[in-house]
Amino acid sequence: MGKHKLEPGEHGEIFLQRTGPNTWRGRTRLCLWDGSETWVSRNASDEDVARLKVQKGVVERLSAARGSDDLKPTSKLGVACRQWVAEMRVRSEWPRPPIRPQTVDEYERLLGNHVVPRLGKRRLNELTPALCQAFLDGIVKLGKSTERQAKGQEMVTTTLQVRSALCMVLDRAVVHDAIRDNPMRKTIAPQRKKPDPKAMTVMDVYRLRAAVRAWEKDREGQPGPKPTGHLPAAIDVMLGTGMRIGEVMALRWGEVNLSPDGLPTIAVEATLTDVKGQGTVRQPKPKTDAGERVIIIPPFVVESLEQIRPAVTSADMPVFPSRRLKDKRVREQTTANLRRTLRSALALAKMTGEVRPHLLRSTAATFVARRMRAADAAALLGHKIDAGVTGRHYIERLRLAPDTSAVLQEMVDIGKEEAVKTTQGRAANQTAAGQRARSVATRSEAVPR
């Protein structure tokens, strides 16, 4: 009589055999989930115990991970990390990628610096929630060192980023049946520090605009490249639009409308980003889908852009070009170069450390939110405003940001007025002091000796 055909997950009759005075062996035929068959055998000192052990072995065998052609339960975690990074790189090149190339670079850096050195040689089937938790605790402890605390590096953000990256690596291992459960998802991590946004005052805005213009003027007549006016214009664009520094540096003249007929606008359609192996590249879309927007720009931005616009422009010509390359191509100026020149201007004005590019974005958003609405500030910055199912599927998104040009122009004008008043007040005080001094001197001369 032939063997009874088993369905996946079924086992046959459990056979018991005495193999010694106090030893019993239990055996059964088991059909695994992929349809293949195997035998499960267990030994015990008692017939009933042997039967129970065989039944337990069947459950363990059915629930055990088998792995795939690429990843096995015995594969090292370092291998799993490399495979995940390689897979994400391919997906970052999809038409609508689920992840950006620069994000893959950042995850690869985190895995290479923290995960691989400490857990890279561990097998996947050795990973437990306790082991993963101890790993995260070690990163947090590293941030408590005297050296790290002196630099203000608490490692909390790093811990959260590493946990997120390793979760995705182990989720892929689950997909490949190399592990049945992701142990990292059972761990806990410190809470992210709540942001405390800062914004510049109108006087700070005035000082900054004056500082970058003074820096440009100070370069006139000096050896080296001639002043271009790019730094003051870039600062004004960030103040007048709330755009990210990468979005500003990626601007092309075809996306800028300074025509007096109608409202002057800037279309945000790209950003500059650093990609491993490619350097700084122009990514043909902003950081997020909601970042694609058209911004009505205030007069002070129009004036700054008019001053640097060439006599002849083309749609693909960068607004803020770098030096011309040997093959006569012109590329966009990098964000690193703009940051460097801004630091030089701040040093000349004795404002070192007071301003960073992202602070300009916060300043524009804060001023708009206080004079208009928080939703208007969010739309200006290109943040997503969730309207539920209706908004996602039925309402066409208005890509024209709210008209904040008057409000942002007011921010600049108020700062200029306050600076003028302050200057006039100082002059008046100096004049009064001079008059008092002359009066005292006159009275002294009139007194007979």
Side-chain angles (χ1 to χ4, degrees), residues 219-250:
R219 296 172 60 209
E220 294 179 358
Q222 293 188 7
K226 295 181 180 180
T228 60
H230 289 165
L231 178 60
I235 294 300
D236 280 354
V237 171
M238 283 188 273
L239 284 170
T241 64
M243 292 168 61
R244 300 176 177 90
I245 183 174
E247 296 170 342
V248 174
M249 292 294 99

Side-chain angles (χ1 to χ4, degrees), residues 357-419:
H358 203 72
L359 181 61
L360 309 184
R361 182 169 161 84
S362 299
T363 300
T366 300
F367 207 82
V368 169
R370 289 175 179 172
R371 298 300 178 99
M372 299 172 67
R373 301 178 304 162
D376 295 325
L380 175 69
L381 299 186
H383 289 166
K384 182 178 180 181
I385 302 176
D386 191 3
V389 175
T390 304
R392 286 194 301 271
H393 298 284
Y394 295 96
I395 301 176
E396 181 179 358
R397 185 170 76 85
L398 182 64
R399 296 186 182 275
L400 179 63
D403 188 356
T404 60
S405 57
V407 170
L408 294 173
Q409 180 65 40
E410 187 180 0
M411 174 183 68
V412 172
D413 292 341
I414 292 175
K416 187 182 299 183
E417 291 173 4
E418 289 190 5

Side-chain angles (χ1 to χ4, degrees), residues 322-363:
S322 64
R323 304 300 172 192
R324 190 177 297 274
L325 303 179
K326 292 182 179 180
D327 57 2
K328 297 184 179 181
R329 289 185 299 113
V330 178
R331 294 186 58 184
E332 293 80 7
Q333 189 177 160
T334 65
T335 57
N337 186 52
L338 182 69
R339 292 178 190 275
R340 178 181 56 78
T341 54
L342 176 58
R343 288 193 297 270
S344 299
L346 294 175
L348 181 65
K350 298 182 179 180
M351 295 173 60
T352 301
E354 292 187 29
V355 180
R356 62 189 187 282
H358 203 72
L359 181 61
L360 309 184
R361 182 169 161 84
S362 299
T363 300

Side-chain angles (χ1 to χ4, degrees), residues 37 49 83-84 98 157 161 271 273 313 327-328 357-358 435:
E37 291 190 2
V49 175
Q83 290 182 359
W84 180 82
T157 301
Q161 292 173 338
T271 187
T273 186
T313 63
D327 57 2
K328 297 184 179 181
H358 203 72
Q435 290 176 347

